[in-house]
Amino acid sequence: MRVPAPLLGGHARSALSLSAAATDDTAATNSVLATALPMLGACIAEPTLSWIDSICVARFAASPSVGLAALSVDSAIFNMLACCTSFLCTATTNIVGSQADDDEHVGRALFDGVMISLLVGGLAAAAMTFGRRVLVGGFLGAGAESGIFAPACAYLRIRALAAPAATATLVGAGVCFGLGDQITPVRAIAAAAAVNVVGDLLLIGPCGLGLSGAAAATALANYAAAAMVVGPLWRRYRPRWRRPRYADLRRFAAVSGALLAGTSFASLTYAATPRVVSGDVTRAAAHQIALSLWWLISFVSVPLSLAGQSLLPRRLSADPALARRTALAIARLGAYCAALCAGLNALIPTVWAGAFSKSPEVLAALGSVTATAAAAQAALSFATALDGVFLGCGWRGHYVRTVALSTCAAGAVFVAASRCGGSLVGVWLGLFLFGAVRAACHAAALPLLLRKLAGDAKVE
């Protein structure tokens, strides 16, 4: 027999309240995990392909150190592209999820998203193809006299052709997530990874194409992923060809504007790192090993950010108390994720480094930055999870200011590292500051946000 709460003693009522609160917190945590975990496959697509290229170049290329040094420059460019275009997935998820049961709405969002993605990807491909010498030599500091300039340009010229496929895949994944289909993007990424591995094994070693072969394999992998994600959606919804409406484009811009601004600052930070060490092949190769794995691991926390951006807007209007519990759940999971990612990052010099290089000089340079890279990973992972909390709650200005401030802090360290002869340790200290400043700003503002969600009248 259930005892009515008013008949219970004070201690019993307190126990029931604590039990109910714990249950609510668990439910909020489970909902975040159910939303975030399936998104992980799509989030790690681009860094996974770069990571596969790094392994295969290190194992099978004629000059592994030169190849890795060249990839460090190219990876910075494609990491920048991945950062700047990630809003396509988030915006599409948000727009499709708002009316997922309306096929006409979904078809219109699919058409608009694909058209925008092809435009963005086409412009990016043209810029990388025709501006590759400026990007590699001017922007990233690998001059024409260096040994990595020619192979870096060769890789960039071929892989740039896959930019439209990469951006279209983001839109397709966003539509799938908005519809509640988390399996299709994961299958597409798995297939793309398989195509990339097979292509690298055939083209780099036996065919002797080196970095050009790696770029061709990655380009094919991008188109395979796009076909597997966008193709079935296009056949299902058969969107009509039409000129995109201004209202629809404006909605894309409204949803993704702050995220695009923030990711642009982040992409500039990452792109600046190889410029600092591009004058030395050993340091550049070590940086590519460290950054390719660090970049891949850093995406483990991105689904938490996307979950916040997906769940919190709806819960803010429907149930502010649930929104508060969701924000706290994301913060807790972000802290756990930070510890996990830092631990994975610490394995680089002890377990994974041998897969990339046999050079004692490269491995020694890599070991000198492992602790700093792990600390940077922890700070960035926690900050990324909290990004989703503030973006989901509409604090877009805070998010943009925080990323801008962290970029300035990192940039100051990069400038100092360049003046010290291209210090690899300086690069990673800058990346640590980039994550730590963001994490500190978010942590300082989080109590105010939680009080607002609790309805504290004293908080304006």
Side-chain angles (χ1 to χ4, degrees):
M1 175 179 177
R2 184 174 179 178
V3 181
L7 300 181
L8 295 174
H11 292 294
R13 286 199 300 272
S14 297
L16 282 176
S17 298
L18 289 173
S19 176
T23 302
D24 290 341
D25 288 344
T26 301
T29 300
N30 289 341
S31 69
V32 171
L33 289 174
T35 303
L37 288 177
M39 293 181 176
L40 181 59
C43 290
I44 65 173
E46 190 66 26
T48 296
L49 298 181
S50 295
W51 182 58
I52 291 171
D53 280 352
S54 295
I55 291 179
C56 292
V57 166
R59 301 290 288 183
F60 305 113
S63 302
S65 294
V66 173
L68 286 171
L71 273 180
S72 73
V73 174
D74 290 316
S75 294
I77 295 171
F78 288 102
N79 289 347
M80 180 188 296
L81 177 64
C83 273
C84 290
T85 58
S86 61
F87 74 93
L88 290 169
C89 181
T90 306
T92 309
T93 300
N94 186 297
I95 291 170
V96 171
S98 64
Q99 299 181 47
D101 55 347
D102 184 343
D103 285 0
E104 183 179 354
H105 170 79
V106 175
R108 191 164 59 245
L110 172 64
F111 179 86
D112 291 344
V114 169
M115 292 302 104
I116 293 171
S117 72
L118 292 179
L119 175 61
V120 171
L123 291 174
M128 289 186 288
T129 300
F130 297 108
R132 60 185 181 276
R133 293 180 175 274
V134 175
L135 286 171
V136 173
F139 182 61
L140 295 173
E145 71 283 354
S146 69
I148 66 176
F149 179 79
C153 286
Y155 181 94
L156 182 59
R157 178 175 59 86
I158 296 173
R159 187 172 170 183
L161 299 176
T167 52
T169 301
L170 288 172
V171 169
V175 173
C176 289
F177 292 148
L179 295 171
D181 174 16
Q182 290 89 5
I183 301 301
T184 298
V186 173
R187 288 176 178 169
I189 299 311
V195 170
N196 201 22
V197 169
V198 173
D200 278 349
L201 292 177
L202 290 175
L203 298 177
I204 295 175
C207 294
L209 297 179
L211 280 184
S212 295
T218 305
L220 289 174
N222 274 299
Y223 278 100
M228 289 189 66
V229 176
V230 178
L233 290 170
W234 203 270
R235 290 192 295 271
R236 175 180 174 184
Y237 292 100
R238 299 184 181 278
R240 293 178 299 171
W241 289 86
R242 59 178 179 78
R243 180 180 298 176
R245 298 187 306 186
Y246 173 74
D248 294 331
L249 298 180
R250 184 178 179 182
R251 187 173 184 186
F252 262 95
V255 171
S256 57
L259 185 62
L260 176 59
T263 53
S264 297
F265 280 117
S267 67
L268 286 174
T269 302
Y270 297 132
T273 61
R275 182 183 178 88
V276 178
V277 296
S278 60
D280 182 88
V281 170
T282 297
R283 286 197 294 267
H287 180 61
Q288 169 59 13
I289 295 172
L291 187 63
S292 64
L293 288 171
W294 188 86
W295 178 257
L296 177 62
I297 295 169
S298 72
F299 274 80
V300 172
S301 61
V302 171
L304 291 175
S305 178
L306 293 177
Q309 295 171 57
S310 174
L311 295 173
L312 285 170
R314 295 192 294 270
R315 294 181 177 183
L316 273 172
S317 57
D319 187 351
L322 178 57
R324 185 178 187 276
R325 290 194 296 272
T326 302
L328 282 170
I330 293 172
R332 284 195 299 269
L333 290 171
Y336 298 147
C337 189
L340 171 64
C341 291
L344 290 173
N345 209 92
L347 295 175
I348 290 176
T350 57
V351 176
W352 292 333
F356 289 90
S357 179
K358 301 298 182 183
S359 167
E361 293 82 7
V362 171
L363 294 178
L366 179 64
S368 69
V369 298
T370 299
T372 310
Q377 187 68 256
L380 182 70
S381 296
F382 185 60
T384 299
L386 291 182
D387 285 346
V389 171
F390 288 97
L391 283 169
C393 290
W395 287 36
R396 298 183 182 90
H398 165 80
Y399 165 74
V400 173
R401 289 191 298 271
T402 296
V403 181
L405 179 61
S406 62
T407 296
C408 291
V413 177
F414 293 157
V415 170
S418 297
R419 292 177 177 175
C420 294
S423 168
L424 185 59
V425 175
V427 170
W428 285 95
L429 283 174
L431 286 173
F432 168 72
L433 271 183
F434 178 67
V437 170
R438 280 170 67 187
C441 290
H442 284 335
L446 186 60
L448 176 62
L449 174 63
L450 294 175
R451 290 199 301 273
K452 275 195 166 185
L453 293 177
D456 190 341
K458 297 181 180 179
V459 180
E460 296 184 359

